[in-house]
Amino acid sequence: MKKITRRTFVNLTSAAVVAAPHLAKGQDSNNYKDDPLGIRGDFPLLKDTNFLNTAYHSISPTPVVDAGIQFYKDRANPADSIGPFLAEGRVVRAKFAKMVNAEHGEIGLIHATSDAENIVANALDLKEGDNVVTDDLQYNASFFVYDHLSKTKNIEVRIVKRDKTGTTRFEEFEKLVDDKTRIVSVSFVSHENGYCHDLKPLSELAHNNNAYLYVDAIQGIGMLSLDVKEAGIDFMGCGTYKWLLGSYGAAFIYVRKDLQDIIEADRRGMFSVTDMERFTDFKSYPDAAKYGFATPAFGAISVAGTALDYVNNIGIANIENHTVPLAHQIRENLIENGLNVDTPEGNRSSFLTFYHGKDPAKVRALYEAENIKVTYKHGETKIRVGAALYNNQSDIDHFNAVTSKIKSLS
């Protein structure tokens, strides 16, 4: 059998710093060399692009790209067995578990973040009279899940509205959570405006009412530290193509160990059982491995493993300490320019949103002329922008300088 091993991880400190060629018009020629975390050489796109769009999807570093290329090269001469790929999946689960302080058996591999909430919501057997409490900062897919359940099972969906600062306040959750609440569902960091929830009070509120806390974590893990035990999280989903620097098709589900008997797998397949050669009397995996029911996206999982190594080598605390202050600088500049910021002051995440109040086509043209990548939301009336581990002070200064021109647009 052809032996398949994990590709050698490239040591971050050995990456050569490449002199920058032509950059976006407004940037200094030394921008590419300004490298606080010693990693910009692993992101060639940054030579001519100011990429501030990681909240949409990240740039993958060269070692992660190489892992994906190698995986598909192996497909030209495939191994006799997928056993090594399955083993690699177990290793990747363990890496993610360590990152969020979970037990290995509490982490399963799924295909997308939304898989996790579907699994949880369907397993809890919600009934008429039950309610789910969420907020208007939660990701759209959650609303689709609970809207369907409200129509098919007559559950009530209660939504906390954010205030004018962009915050959904704990006191408003307290008003809506009661003894009929089954799930409190929030994002660790909101896709809508970057607001970072304080999860511990929400988990205590849920538990005091015999409810569970579900967390969509794709917009936070890899950018901010998260301890699932300390936060009291019951269930969590997290994809890998944003702050974890991976790709599409691989995500993680966290189900607290003592709740795994309640959260049954919603599908069955060869990879959800311990002995796939049997025809009767199947036994599901006794841990979160049971949530993976069919052939996984082995390539995306391989990429995710290398990406987790990359992020861990840098250190999430170092990433947070580098990026969050850069986001605060962006916010200060937006306020100085009279723009309507939808993210609270002092927020603990590295991205934010604002309304520009001008012709969307002209604002887009302003950024595109400078090769600045951001997210355009709500008919392009709103912009999402943020700093990732590979951004630097020059990127932020460049964005701020260009953004200052918005007020002069007609």
Side-chain angles (χ1 to χ4, degrees):
M1 182 180 110
K2 179 184 174 185
K3 185 177 180 181
I4 300 173
T5 62
R6 294 290 297 122
R7 267 62 66 190
T8 303
F9 178 65
V10 178
N11 191 308
L12 298 177
T13 58
S14 68
V17 177
V18 181
H22 175 70
L23 291 165
K25 287 193 300 183
Q27 290 181 285
D28 185 270
S29 60
N30 289 319
N31 174 60
Y32 195 60
K33 296 179 182 179
D34 176 13
D35 197 5
L37 296 179
I39 60 170
R40 282 175 70 89
D42 289 333
F43 300 89
L45 181 70
L46 301 179
K47 294 176 183 178
D48 58 13
T49 301
N50 189 352
F51 193 89
L52 299 169
N53 200 22
T54 303
Y56 188 79
H57 54 193
S58 68
I59 313 170
S60 291
T62 300
V64 174
V65 173
D66 289 345
I69 291 170
Q70 185 58 53
F71 176 86
Y72 286 103
K73 282 184 175 179
D74 289 344
R75 294 293 299 136
N77 182 19
D80 296 330
S81 168
I82 61 172
F85 294 147
L86 294 172
E88 183 171 26
R90 291 190 286 272
V91 171
V92 172
R93 287 170 57 210
K95 289 177 180 179
F96 184 78
K98 184 176 181 180
M99 179 176 281
V100 299
N101 192 34
E103 296 181 26
H104 183 186
E106 293 178 313
I107 301 297
L109 279 167
I110 51 178
H111 293 96
T113 309
S114 297
D115 275 349
E117 195 156 16
N118 275 278
I119 290 169
V120 169
N122 289 327
L124 288 178
D125 191 26
L126 302 178
K127 296 180 174 63
E128 182 173 357
D130 291 339
N131 70 70
V132 172
V133 177
T134 184
D135 65 7
D136 64 0
L137 296 177
Q138 180 61 303
Y139 188 56
N140 306 55
S142 294
F143 297 118
F144 304 152
V145 170
Y146 298 121
D147 179 70
H148 173 73
L149 291 172
S150 73
K151 291 172 179 174
T152 58
K153 297 195 173 185
N154 205 26
I155 69 162
E156 182 185 1
V157 182
R158 300 176 175 178
I159 302 174
V160 174
K161 304 294 186 181
R162 63 184 178 273
D163 64 20
K164 60 184 179 181
T165 72
T167 303
T168 51
R169 299 190 177 278
F170 177 72
E171 294 79 8
E172 299 304 312
F173 281 92
E174 284 186 305
K175 294 175 183 178
L176 297 186
V177 175
D178 59 26
D179 60 2
K180 296 295 185 180
T181 303
R182 299 295 307 283
I183 305 171
V184 176
S185 174
V186 297
S187 289
F188 175 30
V189 174
S190 170
H191 79 106
E192 181 61 35
N193 69 348
Y195 176 64
C196 182
H197 282 92
D198 186 358
L199 297 175
K200 182 62 174 177
L202 291 175
S203 68
E204 291 177 345
L205 175 64
H207 298 160
N208 288 340
N209 287 275
N210 295 315
Y212 303 106
L213 178 66
Y214 174 85
V215 174
D216 179 330
I218 190 174
Q219 285 288 14
I221 296 180
M223 176 219 303
L224 307 175
S225 300
L226 178 64
D227 184 323
V228 295
K229 302 300 184 184
E230 182 179 338
I233 297 170
D234 299 302
F235 317 115
M236 183 175 75
C238 182
T240 58
Y241 60 89
K242 295 183 188 284
W243 308 93
L244 286 177
L245 310 181
S247 187
Y248 302 97
F252 301 101
I253 181 172
Y254 164 77
V255 178
R256 211 177 74 200
K257 185 177 181 178
D258 60 317
L259 299 176
Q260 289 178 12
D261 287 342
I262 298 172
I263 307 302
E264 292 291 339
D266 65 342
R267 286 155 286 188
R268 301 290 186 275
M270 289 182 68
F271 297 106
S272 63
V273 298
T274 57
D275 186 352
M276 61 182 67
E277 299 297 328
R278 298 175 68 91
F279 295 100
T280 60
D281 300 324
F282 305 110
K283 292 184 178 180
S284 295
Y285 280 105
D287 62 12
K290 68 184 179 181
Y291 304 117
F293 70 101
T295 305
F298 291 125
I301 292 168
S302 180
V303 163
T306 302
L308 288 169
D309 288 340
Y310 193 95
V311 171
N312 279 326
N313 200 352
I314 299 167
I316 292 180
N318 292 329
I319 293 169
E320 179 175 346
N321 290 336
H322 168 58
T323 59
V324 174
L326 295 178
H328 290 172
Q329 288 184 38
I330 293 174
R331 189 183 188 282
E332 290 170 7
N333 181 72
L334 293 169
I335 296 296
E336 288 173 3
N337 281 281
L339 294 167
N340 181 10
V341 179
D342 191 35
T343 304
E345 184 178 5
N347 182 52
R348 184 205 164 202
S349 85
S350 69
F351 71 93
L352 64 155
T353 56
F354 67 97
Y355 294 92
H356 53 72
K358 298 290 185 175
D359 182 340
K362 292 181 179 179
V363 174
R364 178 185 276 270
L366 195 65
Y367 289 123
E368 288 183 347
E370 293 284 338
N371 212 10
I372 297 174
K373 302 294 184 182
V374 295
T375 310
Y376 301 92
K377 297 172 68 68
H378 304 318
E380 302 197 6
T381 62
K382 184 177 183 180
I383 289 175
R384 183 174 63 189
V385 57
L389 69 167
Y390 38 68
N391 292 118
N392 61 16
Q393 184 65 53
S394 182
D395 291 336
I396 305 310
D397 292 344
H398 179 216
F399 174 81
N400 286 346
V402 174
T403 300
S404 296
K405 299 176 182 179
I406 290 178
K407 59 188 175 184
S408 65
L409 295 175
S410 57

